[in-house]
Amino acid sequence: MNNHIPETGLSFERVVFFSDAVFAIVITLLVLELKVPHLTEHTESSLRHALVELLPRVAGFVISFLIIGLMWIEHHRIFRYIADYNLGLLWRNLLLLLCVSFVPFPTALFSENFWSRTAFILYTASFGGVATAKLWIWRHAMAANLLKPEITPEFAKRIARQSMAVPLACLLAIILSFISIILAPISFAFIPIFARVLDPTSKKSKQESATANEEAAA
Amino acid sequence: MNNHIPETGLSFERVVFFSDAVFAIVITLLVLELKVPHLTEHTESSLRHALVELLPRVAGFVISFLIIGLMWIEHHRIFRYIADYNLGLLWRNLLLLLCVSFVPFPTALFSENFWSRTAFILYTASFGGVATAKLWIWRHAMAANLLKPEITPEFAKRIARQSMAVPLACLLAIILSFISIILAPISFAFIPIFARVLDPTSKKSKQESATANEEAAA
Amino acid sequence: MNNHIPETGLSFERVVFFSDAVFAIVITLLVLELKVPHLTEHTESSLRHALVELLPRVAGFVISFLIIGLMWIEHHRIFRYIADYNLGLLWRNLLLLLCVSFVPFPTALFSENFWSRTAFILYTASFGGVATAKLWIWRHAMAANLLKPEITPEFAKRIARQSMAVPLACLLAIILSFISIILAPISFAFIPIFARVLDPTSKKSKQESATANEEAAA
Amino acid sequence: MNNHIPETGLSFERVVFFSDAVFAIVITLLVLELKVPHLTEHTESSLRHALVELLPRVAGFVISFLIIGLMWIEHHRIFRYIADYNLGLLWRNLLLLLCVSFVPFPTALFSENFWSRTAFILYTASFGGVATAKLWIWRHAMAANLLKPEITPEFAKRIARQSMAVPLACLLAIILSFISIILAPISFAFIPIFARVLDPTSKKSKQESATANEEAAA
């Protein structure tokens, strides 16, 4: 248990704090992509026209904000079940943060080129990268016995299976984008279905098992 | 009480910390809109002339800084009375942070186009959005029993009524801007009057009730 | 004692945390002013030439970094002696943070126009503003009885007197800049002399009094 | 022990928190250097072509992200063994943060001019500066008795010796760059060898000594 600490010397709280700060900065940097339009003539109609042209970027800002917000919630959800850490977990977490901090670039690229399959793939891949890194963190925590003792192996496996839903949906979206870029986003609607299929036990045992684990982890 | 935790797995402290970080970043990003002027001739008079032209942006920086500072104070004020949270509160808080992080854009837009009704409306609407999200958070906390047990329903209702003053003033300012953009900001002077009208009991019972609640919440 | 809390509802820790975050962001944003030069020909000599032209900006970056670092140390120094807060302290602190977050602009302006008296005055005034806000916070904390009970009135007055040294030096530098912009920075060398003159008791009683106060405050 | 506190008045936790925030901001600002390309014609092939041209910048982003991540881990590693601080430690830590916050500039410069020896030297020197500041912090902590009482002098000296590996490798890379810029990065592969040579005792005594120190420090 004590063996991995000499490698890192970080307190676990600081890892989570550092991650929180990166999430907060990235989510706030997104607005910098909304550049104030420079008008050729100073009239209401030309300003309104310029703002309408900005709408894809505003949509990109709002969507990316909400997705990063969701990822932040997910990040905490798994870190709440983790009791300990090692150097392997740290690097996997840095990889997750690398994907998070990369998000403003494909957001700007895609909102400026929403006709482009390349931009859509890069956008989807960066969020898929965060979800995959999260899955990797969880699998590492399971394998290296870093979970809280109250987490049952069954519950841990279920989260691992559910965590495959987002990477799979991103992969499907990228594949579908080669057929039609308008069809591709539909695959994200499959995330709850994937989660159900990947974890068939969830229906009956979710209620009591989750509650039991939560009570133990609280 | 325990039912909503499995959905999120976030500790309440982290939610407040994350919100603080977003407020701090946004309030600091505002200065980035103050671009150093590029002079055609390097003389004191041309520099001073260029700085005078920057004054509307400096005013926008100072005003937005103070308004965001006020919102940060308000954000903490209501979160201090909240004991617990659920996924609904998290999403409402993310919506509030979305409005906060959007502020630098209308600030830059309005300080560059202070003649424009469209820019004024966007500027007012973004601050109105923060105030509305705050009201929504509070109403949700009341409905979902997330308030500290010492908070009386009467006190909670009073804060809900007072919290309607800023959204109403923003709405009035937007309506007035269609008559005159110079008149419109006057509506913000109505905020204390609105707060008084919306909460007629405040006059007599404010003193003891607030003190009682505070003592309980401390 | 309890009277001011209803106005704000902020925990004192959060105020300091928020201030720390603003300091950290501002100190890091300074580097954004160092723009990578765009070369017309891609040779070592043209790159080196472009970098030499950047030296005033690099100097501005380093100097502003160190001054903000010093201000951060000073900010904590006084907040360490403060036990309580009220709305007046919050607004004075927001004013200090406003001056801090403004610093990147005059830094960029002055490092691009180091020949300009106007730029020098703006640069000096922004740092003088932080120091004046700090003095204002301290005087308010003294007047409103917000200091830790162990702080003797004598010790509090001494810090108030010493805190006048930096604003005075900034004022002197601005006045001197009308005679000669090269002479003006010399006034900063007077800060320790001002501190000595403003607080003539410091020589003999500093040692025991400071130690006593620190021990009490620890 | 108490003697240095009056100079600063900072709590040690805040120093680490402030450092964490600077690291988090710098690591996130790196992405801002990835500017969305402006296309002359809106086709997939022209977008893909523009993205391929961005690859050196993306590589610079990823490499700098990982190096700063590693430095953050190293920063915490040594601060975990430090029990106390003084003004000298604060200024050395500010110097380290100055080097960290400078990193985005040489990263952008080098990824745009990867043919340039000057850019490579600046890039290497900024990371070497962080490593040298870390070594300086550690030596100061040793000399001023700021280490935790459980840290043996032998263990402290070993970390000091190991900490010389990165500055030496950076120095070697800069020297080698005058022969060949392609050869120069090889010197970073020598870091583990340098660490072994500088600390010949590490092989046999590392296991028990590190464990003993960790247990004491935990």
Side-chain angles (χ1 to χ4, degrees), chain A residues 9-10 14 17 116-118, chain D residues 17 28 44 47 76 80 215:
Chain A
L10 277 163
R14 292 203 196 295
F17 165 82
S116 160
R117 198 201 311 142
T118 310
Chain D
F17 165 81
T28 321
E44 289 286 350
L47 179 65
H76 275 283
R80 191 163 174 259
E215 266 164 25

Side-chain angles (χ1 to χ4, degrees), chain D residues 22 28-29 38 43 61 64 93 106 111 128-129 134 138-139 141-142 163 167 169 174 185 193 203 207 210:
Chain D
V22 170
T28 321
L29 286 182
H38 289 284
T43 61
F61 162 70
S64 292
N93 191 47
S111 56
K134 189 199 120 189
W138 185 254
R139 284 183 166 282
M142 282 170 73
S163 296
I174 289 171
I193 298 167
K203 232 3 196 323
Q207 208 59 32

Side-chain angles (χ1 to χ4, degrees), chain B residues 1 10 24-25 36 40-41 53 76 81-82 85 91 113 116 121 172 189 203 206:
Chain B
M1 217 31 144
L10 277 164
I25 299 160
V36 169
T40 47
E41 48 171 334
E53 280 188 343
H76 274 282
Y81 300 132
I82 297 177
Y85 72 105
W91 280 107
N113 305 283
S116 161
I121 290 174
L172 181 63
K203 233 358 190 330
K206 195 178 185 181

Side-chain angles (χ1 to χ4, degrees), chain D residues 5-25:
Chain D
I5 300 186
E7 294 181 67
T8 64
L10 276 164
S11 83
F12 192 43
E13 264 191 8
R14 292 203 195 295
V15 179
V16 179
F17 165 81
F18 185 73
S19 308
D20 274 359
V22 170
F23 271 101
I25 298 159

Side-chain angles (χ1 to χ4, degrees), chain B residues 17 31 44 47 76 80 215, chain C residues 9-10 14 17 116-118:
Chain B
F17 165 81
V31 81
E44 289 286 351
L47 178 65
H76 274 282
R80 191 164 174 259
E215 267 165 22
Chain C
L10 275 164
R14 293 205 195 294
F17 165 81
S116 161
R117 198 200 311 139
T118 311

Side-chain angles (χ1 to χ4, degrees), chain C residues 88-170:
Chain C
L89 192 82
L90 274 186
W91 279 108
R92 282 165 183 81
N93 191 48
L94 265 184
L95 185 76
L96 183 142
L97 296 178
L98 176 67
C99 293
V100 168
S101 77
F102 184 65
V103 163
F105 176 70
T107 297
L109 189 78
F110 184 44
S111 56
E112 203 164 280
N113 306 282
F114 52 90
W115 47 267
S116 161
R117 198 200 311 139
T118 311
F120 175 80
I121 290 174
L122 210 60
Y123 189 69
T124 307
S126 62
F127 286 123
V130 180
T132 308
K134 189 199 121 189
L135 175 62
W136 204 24
I137 289 171
W138 185 254
R139 283 182 168 282
H140 179 78
M142 283 170 72
N145 275 320
L146 303 174
L147 298 181
K148 288 193 177 166
E150 305 87 355
I151 307 294
T152 62
E154 192 185 75
F155 183 74
K157 275 179 203 153
R158 186 180 303 148
I159 286 192
R161 281 192 299 258
Q162 288 173 354
S163 296
M164 288 173 68
V166 176
L168 276 179
C170 289

Side-chain angles (χ1 to χ4, degrees), chain B residues 114-128:
Chain B
F114 52 92
W115 47 266
S116 161
R117 200 202 309 138
T118 311
F120 175 80
I121 290 174
L122 211 60
Y123 189 70
T124 307
S126 62
F127 286 123

